[in-house]
Structures are given as C-alpha cells and as structure tokens.
Amino acid sequence: MVTDVVPSLGIVIVAAGSGTRLGHPEPKAFVSLAGRSLLERSLATVLSLAEPATVVVVAPASHRQQARDIAQRIGGAVRDHILVVEGGATRQASVARGIAALPADCDAVLVHDAARALQPVAVFERVLARVRTGQEGVVPVMPIVDTVARRDDEGRVIGHVERAELATVQTPQGFPAAAFRAAHDAATAEHTDDQSLFAAGGRTVVIVDGDAHGFKITTPWDLRRAELLLESERPRLRTGIGIDVHAYDEAAPMWLGGLYWPDEPGLAGHSDGDAISHAVCDALLSAAGLGDIGSRFGVDDPRFADARGAVFLSATVELVRTAGFEIVNVAVQVVARRPRFSPRRHEVEALLTGLLGAPVSVAATTSDGLGFTGRGEGVTAVATALLSA
Ligand code: CTP
Ligand code: MG
C-alpha cells in the first residue's frame, strides 16, 4: 500500500511584506515579473527541488486567497503539501507563523524571501545538503567586491573595513528544525533575517556560496534588472517554412528523404529531386533569414549538379550553425501517391535526425485524388523548422 509520508523538510516562503520601497499598489510578492508574480517564481523553484517538502507560504491577510490560487496552480500533484498562512507585522513575526504551521516532525527548515524570485534551485540544494550534515544554521552569501568605507553622520569617511571579512547574506537560509524553533521562541529582539536570530541565541551559522541571481527585489530598479536578466537569458526562437515540388520521372532513381526507394519512379530535377530534403533546407534557411536553396546553392554550381539531398542538408546545417543558430526541431509533411511512406517513415526520420542533429518528424498523406499529387504526377513536401539563437 502506498502511504503519503509527511516530508521531513519544511520550507517557509515569506511573502507578507507590503513592498514599500518598490511602491506598487499590490504587495511585493504579488507584483508581476515578466508575466509571473515573484511568489509564483519562488514557489516554482522550491517545487523543482528533488526532495519532497511541506511548503508554507506566508501571505498578507489581503492576499491569502491569491496565494492559495497560485499554490493550486503551481502545485499540481503536490498542491496539498502547500499551506498558506497569514503574515505578521514584521518579517520575523511572519517567519514565526510560518514555522508554527509546519508539521511537528520536520527535521530541517528552509526560509526563503519570495522577493528573491530568481534565486536558482542549485542554491537551495547547496543549503539543504549542508543543513543535513550537522546542527548549524546555513546561509548563502556573496562576497563584497567594492571597497567598504565607514562613514559618520556628517557624511565623512572615517575609516575602511577589510572587505575580505564581509559577505552579503541571501536566502534560502537553512536550519535544523528543533534548534530553529527554539531560537525563535527565545528571541527577544527583532532581527532582519533568520541566521542573525539563530546566531544571537549562541548557535553556529556556516556559509555556502550564494548566487548573483539571488538578489532581493526591493526597488523598481531591481525589478527592471530582473526583467532584463530574464529577457537576455531567454532563447530567441525563429520559425521557418519551406515547400518543394517535383514531378515523377520514370527513368530516374527515386531518392526521397535522403533514402533510395527501389522499384519506384524517380523525381525530375537539376539534383536528385529529393523534395523532402529540399523543403527542409528551405525551412532552415528561411528560419535563419539566409534566403533559400536556389539562391544559396545555385544551379550553376557544379558541386550541386545531381547532388543527393543529404549534401544540401549538410551544407545548410553548416550555414545555419555558422549564423549562430541551433536547430530545435523540424517537421515535414509529404503529399504523394507514391512511394507508400509508412513502412519507411521511421527510417527517414532517423536519417534526417542524424543529419540535422535535432529531432525531425515526417508525416505523409495523399490528396484524395485531387490536384497533381492526386493524379500521381508528382510529390509535394512542406517543412517547418524551429531555430534558437
Ligand atoms: N516579509 C514578510 N512579512 C513582513 C515583512 C516582510 O513576510 N511583515 C517578507 C517579504 O514579503 C519579503 C521578505 O520578507 O519576501 C523580505 O522583506 P523585504 O524585501 O523587506 O520586503 P517588504 O517588507 O515587502 O518590502 P519593504 O521593506 O520595501 O516594504
Ligand atoms: Mg521590509
């Protein structure tokens, strides 16, 4: 019998702040970053951790329902493991409410700011792995690259601090659960984060590497920077289309999709008439903005007189790659009465996939007796290509 074991990991995402410095009408965790709220992004990262967890989202009273809706949508099959509770007046009070909602038998707790929406999952994994090895608190940090000055209230520099001794602190921060609960219960002062509260109780905190993407989205500048980071990291996609038509030529051998088809009428053309290969070349060239097969591989070029489809395909792949593109996939539709395609469809797909180094799918149909393909006068092939830059 399968039982639903309670995960031993608890994760608290604090999202109850108002975001005064960001200055949006809605609370900061519910502000959109390139179409997805900060909370949604943080939650999705947490759910991509390999270890199962109970997740508590600490939301403002006004946005508990929105937080529940997000949890339902992002949670999928594990949505019942995501709880939503109401936050407190300070971050510390919000964390306290979050840990109170975790199952009593959690052995490790991670606390994460929803506002650090781009922190990669690798940092969560690093923190968690370290928590599991001992009884210390664990915090991801970034080195300070600027010179650090000490200043007075009049705006004068009164000394310098050795920056090698300093680090800035991110989240998620991880703790052994019992010690963390005890530290919270015993806390008498307000702390700006969890490791400082944990350390104030005389407990040890160790560091692991943070990530430049783990910055806290605080001001409108941070939000814009996060948008631009996402934009620059998104692969740029381009689609292309290609069509080729060849008439049957009983005297020629049949080459189609890079394969030889014995006992079939061949296709007429300057080259071997391989309509599939030529349509794929045109789709790839069109996606890359590199013109078409006629302009790239002219009929006057002796290298391509009677050339096999594979020769055109390899030359096209080379052009497309040189222009800075990767092939994502190619799809082909053939319209023809002959050859009968289905027995060798997988063979064609495997051959073309090998030549292109990307998945190629091929489908075939007849045209119900209509038009030149229906009358059995020739073959049409249509191809689409997707490239990423
Ligand atoms: N937070 C919280 N409860 C609070 C205050 C803050 O859950 N009472 C959360 C925020 O939602 C945020 C994280 O703690 O994810 C870090 O806080 P901060 O960046 O300061 O967010 P805000 O307090 O919302 O922003 P501001 O200080 O500009 O108002
Ligand atoms: Mg704040």
Side-chain angles (χ1 to χ4, degrees):
M1 196 182 81
V2 178
T3 51
D4 198 9
V5 180
V6 176
S8 62
L9 171 62
I11 303 180
V12 175
I13 301 179
V14 278
S18 56
T20 348
R21 286 168 287 180
L22 188 62
H24 275 238
E26 67 271 50
K28 184 162 76 179
F30 298 83
V31 169
S32 167
L33 163 56
R36 297 172 67 195
S37 67
L38 303 189
L39 173 58
E40 199 172 321
R41 288 180 181 276
S42 291
L43 194 53
T45 305
V46 160
L47 294 183
S48 66
L49 267 174
E51 185 171 328
T54 301
V55 182
V56 177
V57 174
V58 187
S62 59
H63 282 64
R64 278 182 72 174
Q65 190 53 47
Q66 264 111 314
R68 275 192 219 103
D69 293 345
I70 291 170
Q72 284 282 318
R73 188 154 41 80
I74 304 293
V78 298
R79 57 180 174 270
D80 293 344
H81 290 278
I82 308 171
L83 315 172
V84 176
V85 301
E86 189 179 318
T90 62
R91 185 184 181 283
Q92 189 165 318
S94 292
V95 174
R97 291 187 180 191
I99 51 181
L102 286 174
D105 48 3
C106 277
D107 65 4
V109 178
L110 298 184
V111 181
H112 184 56
D113 292 335
R116 297 181 194 271
L118 299 186
Q119 183 69 288
V121 71
V123 177
F124 287 75
E125 280 159 359
R126 208 139 60 216
V127 170
L128 181 58
R130 187 65 182 79
V131 172
R132 293 272 190 231
T133 64
Q135 283 305 304
E136 295 96 357
V138 183
V139 61
V141 300
M142 293 296 286
I144 291 178
V145 292
D146 298 315
T147 298
V148 183
R150 197 184 297 282
R151 49 158 292 182
D152 67 10
D153 290 345
E154 272 88 54
R156 279 183 305 238
V157 171
I158 52 170
H160 290 92
V161 185
E162 179 47 61
R163 71 175 176 224
E165 287 176 13
L166 304 176
T168 58
V169 173
Q170 301 183 331
T171 71
Q173 301 181 2
F175 307 92
F180 189 47
R181 286 188 208 268
H184 255 276
D185 291 345
T188 47
E190 271 299 318
H191 299 271
T192 51
D193 73 349
D194 306 286
Q195 55 87 29
S196 46
L197 178 149
F198 196 74
R203 295 170 178 89
T204 308
V205 177
V206 296
I207 60 173
V208 295
D209 287 341
D211 190 287
H213 289 79
F215 65 94
K216 190 166 61 123
I217 296 171
T218 307
T219 65
W221 293 94
D222 297 326
L223 186 64
R224 185 66 189 131
R225 186 173 150 226
E227 280 169 357
L228 292 171
L229 273 171
L230 285 172
E231 212 168 275
S232 67
E233 286 167 11
R234 192 174 336 137
R236 283 179 299 122
L237 298 174
R238 294 183 56 136
T239 66
I241 187 165
I243 298 181
D244 196 31
V245 173
H246 282 281
Y248 293 117
D249 173 358
E250 292 291 341
M254 164 65 96
W255 285 88
L256 192 60
L259 285 186
Y260 174 58
W261 302 71
D263 308 322
E264 292 286 345
L267 293 166
H270 166 67
S271 63
D272 65 1
D274 183 341
I276 291 183
S277 297
H278 300 168
V280 171
C281 288
D282 266 348
L284 290 168
L285 293 169
S286 110
L290 291 174
D292 56 31
I293 193 166
S295 59
R296 285 281 155 184
F297 313 111
V299 283
D300 302 336
D301 192 331
R303 282 178 304 154
F304 301 108
D306 293 328
R308 296 271 161 270
V311 172
F312 289 100
L313 283 168
S314 299
T316 301
V317 169
E318 180 68 28
L319 282 173
V320 163
R321 294 242 162 89
T322 306
F325 294 99
E326 282 298 314
I327 304 170
V328 179
N329 79 307
V330 166
V332 184
Q333 173 81 56
V334 191
V335 189
R337 271 181 46 180
R338 296 181 65 182
R340 222 165 63 71
F341 217 79
S342 55
R344 302 189 74 189
R345 191 166 69 85
H346 294 300
E347 214 180 322
V348 174
E349 287 182 338
L351 181 77
L352 297 180
T353 296
L355 281 170
L356 266 55
V360 180
S361 54
V362 183
T365 186
T366 58
S367 52
D368 215 8
L370 298 173
F372 69 91
T373 50
R375 291 190 298 274
E377 293 168 8
V379 166
T380 297
V382 182
T384 61
L386 187 65
L387 304 182
S388 73

Short mmCIF file of all heavy atoms in Angstrom, two decimals, residues 14-22 28 58 88-91 94 113-115 216-218, ligand 1:
data_model
loop_
_atom_site.label_atom_id
_atom_site.label_comp_id
_atom_site.label_asym_id
_atom_site.label_seq_id
_atom_site.Cartn_x
_atom_site.Cartn_y
_atom_site.Cartn_z
N VAL A 14 8.43 33.54 2.81
CA VAL A 14 7.80 34.72 3.39
C VAL A 14 7.44 35.71 2.28
O VAL A 14 8.30 36.14 1.51
CB VAL A 14 8.65 35.41 4.50
CG1 VAL A 14 8.46 34.70 5.82
CG2 VAL A 14 10.11 35.49 4.14
N ALA A 15 6.15 36.02 2.23
CA ALA A 15 5.62 36.86 1.15
C ALA A 15 4.62 37.87 1.69
O ALA A 15 3.75 38.33 0.97
CB ALA A 15 4.95 35.96 0.10
N ALA A 16 4.74 38.19 3.00
CA ALA A 16 3.70 39.01 3.63
C ALA A 16 4.05 40.50 3.70
O ALA A 16 3.28 41.28 4.23
CB ALA A 16 3.40 38.47 5.03
N GLY A 17 5.22 40.87 3.17
CA GLY A 17 5.59 42.29 3.22
C GLY A 17 4.77 43.11 2.25
O GLY A 17 4.16 42.59 1.32
N SER A 18 4.78 44.44 2.47
CA SER A 18 3.96 45.29 1.60
C SER A 18 4.74 45.82 0.41
O SER A 18 4.16 46.25 -0.58
CB SER A 18 3.37 46.44 2.41
OG SER A 18 4.42 47.14 3.02
N GLY A 19 6.08 45.82 0.51
CA GLY A 19 6.88 46.31 -0.62
C GLY A 19 6.86 47.81 -0.74
O GLY A 19 6.70 48.36 -1.83
N THR A 20 7.05 48.49 0.40
CA THR A 20 7.02 49.96 0.41
C THR A 20 8.04 50.55 -0.56
O THR A 20 7.73 51.49 -1.29
CB THR A 20 7.36 50.51 1.82
OG1 THR A 20 7.33 49.44 2.75
CG2 THR A 20 6.42 51.60 2.24
N ARG A 21 9.24 50.00 -0.58
CA ARG A 21 10.29 50.58 -1.41
C ARG A 21 10.06 50.32 -2.90
O ARG A 21 10.51 51.07 -3.75
CB ARG A 21 11.66 50.04 -0.98
CG ARG A 21 12.13 50.63 0.34
CD ARG A 21 13.31 49.88 0.90
NE ARG A 21 12.93 48.57 1.44
CZ ARG A 21 13.79 47.72 1.99
NH1 ARG A 21 15.07 48.03 2.05
NH2 ARG A 21 13.37 46.56 2.47
N LEU A 22 9.32 49.27 -3.23
CA LEU A 22 9.01 49.02 -4.64
C LEU A 22 7.91 49.97 -5.11
O LEU A 22 7.88 50.40 -6.26
CB LEU A 22 8.58 47.56 -4.84
CG LEU A 22 8.41 47.11 -6.28
CD1 LEU A 22 9.73 47.21 -7.05
CD2 LEU A 22 7.90 45.66 -6.35
N LYS A 28 4.42 43.27 -2.60
CA LYS A 28 5.55 42.98 -3.50
C LYS A 28 5.53 41.56 -4.08
O LYS A 28 5.80 41.37 -5.27
CB LYS A 28 6.86 43.24 -2.75
CG LYS A 28 8.09 43.07 -3.59
CD LYS A 28 9.29 43.75 -2.96
CE LYS A 28 9.86 42.97 -1.80
NZ LYS A 28 11.04 43.65 -1.23
N VAL A 58 3.69 32.38 3.51
CA VAL A 58 3.18 33.36 4.48
C VAL A 58 2.76 34.60 3.68
O VAL A 58 3.60 35.26 3.06
CB VAL A 58 4.25 33.72 5.52
CG1 VAL A 58 3.64 34.60 6.61
CG2 VAL A 58 4.86 32.46 6.14
N GLY A 88 2.75 38.35 9.75
CA GLY A 88 2.74 39.26 10.90
C GLY A 88 3.23 40.63 10.50
O GLY A 88 3.47 40.90 9.32
N ALA A 89 3.42 41.49 11.51
CA ALA A 89 3.78 42.88 11.25
C ALA A 89 5.23 43.02 10.81
O ALA A 89 5.60 44.00 10.15
CB ALA A 89 3.52 43.72 12.50
N THR A 90 6.07 42.08 11.20
CA THR A 90 7.49 42.12 10.80
C THR A 90 7.84 40.82 10.10
O THR A 90 7.12 39.83 10.23
CB THR A 90 8.42 42.26 12.02
OG1 THR A 90 8.22 41.09 12.84
CG2 THR A 90 8.12 43.51 12.83
N ARG A 91 9.00 40.83 9.41
CA ARG A 91 9.44 39.60 8.75
C ARG A 91 9.59 38.48 9.78
O ARG A 91 9.18 37.34 9.55
CB ARG A 91 10.78 39.85 8.03
CG ARG A 91 11.24 38.64 7.21
CD ARG A 91 12.61 38.88 6.60
NE ARG A 91 13.05 37.74 5.79
CZ ARG A 91 13.52 36.62 6.27
NH1 ARG A 91 13.62 36.44 7.58
NH2 ARG A 91 13.91 35.65 5.46
N SER A 94 6.39 37.03 10.67
CA SER A 94 5.88 36.21 9.57
C SER A 94 6.54 34.84 9.54
O SER A 94 5.89 33.82 9.35
CB SER A 94 6.10 36.92 8.23
OG SER A 94 5.29 38.07 8.15
N ASP A 113 12.93 34.31 1.11
CA ASP A 113 12.19 35.53 0.78
C ASP A 113 11.55 35.35 -0.60
O ASP A 113 12.28 35.15 -1.59
CB ASP A 113 13.14 36.73 0.67
CG ASP A 113 13.75 37.13 2.00
OD1 ASP A 113 13.13 36.85 3.05
OD2 ASP A 113 14.85 37.73 1.98
N ALA A 114 10.24 35.51 -0.70
CA ALA A 114 9.59 35.48 -2.02
C ALA A 114 10.22 36.51 -2.94
O ALA A 114 10.28 36.33 -4.15
CB ALA A 114 8.09 35.75 -1.87
N ALA A 115 10.74 37.60 -2.34
CA ALA A 115 11.30 38.71 -3.12
C ALA A 115 12.59 38.32 -3.85
O ALA A 115 13.02 39.02 -4.76
CB ALA A 115 11.57 39.90 -2.20
N LYS A 216 17.70 40.51 -3.70
CA LYS A 216 16.34 40.75 -3.24
C LYS A 216 15.73 41.88 -4.06
O LYS A 216 16.29 42.97 -4.12
CB LYS A 216 16.33 41.11 -1.75
CG LYS A 216 14.94 41.13 -1.16
CD LYS A 216 15.01 41.15 0.34
CE LYS A 216 15.73 42.38 0.81
NZ LYS A 216 15.01 43.22 1.71
N ILE A 217 14.62 41.61 -4.71
CA ILE A 217 13.95 42.64 -5.49
C ILE A 217 13.31 43.60 -4.50
O ILE A 217 12.35 43.25 -3.80
CB ILE A 217 12.95 42.01 -6.49
CG1 ILE A 217 13.72 41.14 -7.49
CG2 ILE A 217 12.13 43.10 -7.19
CD1 ILE A 217 12.87 40.29 -8.40
N THR A 218 13.89 44.78 -4.42
CA THR A 218 13.49 45.75 -3.39
C THR A 218 12.95 47.03 -4.01
O THR A 218 11.90 47.52 -3.61
CB THR A 218 14.70 46.08 -2.47
OG1 THR A 218 15.24 44.86 -1.97
CG2 THR A 218 14.27 46.96 -1.31
N1 CTP B 1 8.05 39.90 4.73
C1 CTP B 1 7.03 39.23 5.38
N2 CTP B 1 6.35 39.84 6.40
C2 CTP B 1 6.66 41.09 6.76
C3 CTP B 1 7.70 41.78 6.12
C4 CTP B 1 8.39 41.16 5.10
O1 CTP B 1 6.72 38.09 5.03
N3 CTP B 1 5.96 41.66 7.74
C5 CTP B 1 8.73 39.24 3.62
C6 CTP B 1 8.59 40.00 2.30
O2 CTP B 1 7.35 39.64 1.65
C7 CTP B 1 9.81 39.60 1.51
C8 CTP B 1 10.83 39.27 2.59
O3 CTP B 1 10.13 39.19 3.82
O4 CTP B 1 9.61 38.47 0.68
C9 CTP B 1 11.94 40.30 2.65
O5 CTP B 1 11.41 41.56 3.02
P1 CTP B 1 11.52 42.91 2.19
O6 CTP B 1 12.31 42.70 0.99
O7 CTP B 1 11.89 43.99 3.13
O8 CTP B 1 10.01 43.10 1.69
P2 CTP B 1 8.95 44.16 2.12
O9 CTP B 1 8.97 44.34 3.59
O10 CTP B 1 7.68 43.75 1.49
O11 CTP B 1 9.48 45.47 1.39
P3 CTP B 1 9.68 46.92 2.03
O12 CTP B 1 10.63 46.71 3.19
O13 CTP B 1 10.24 47.73 0.90
O14 CTP B 1 8.34 47.37 2.47
#
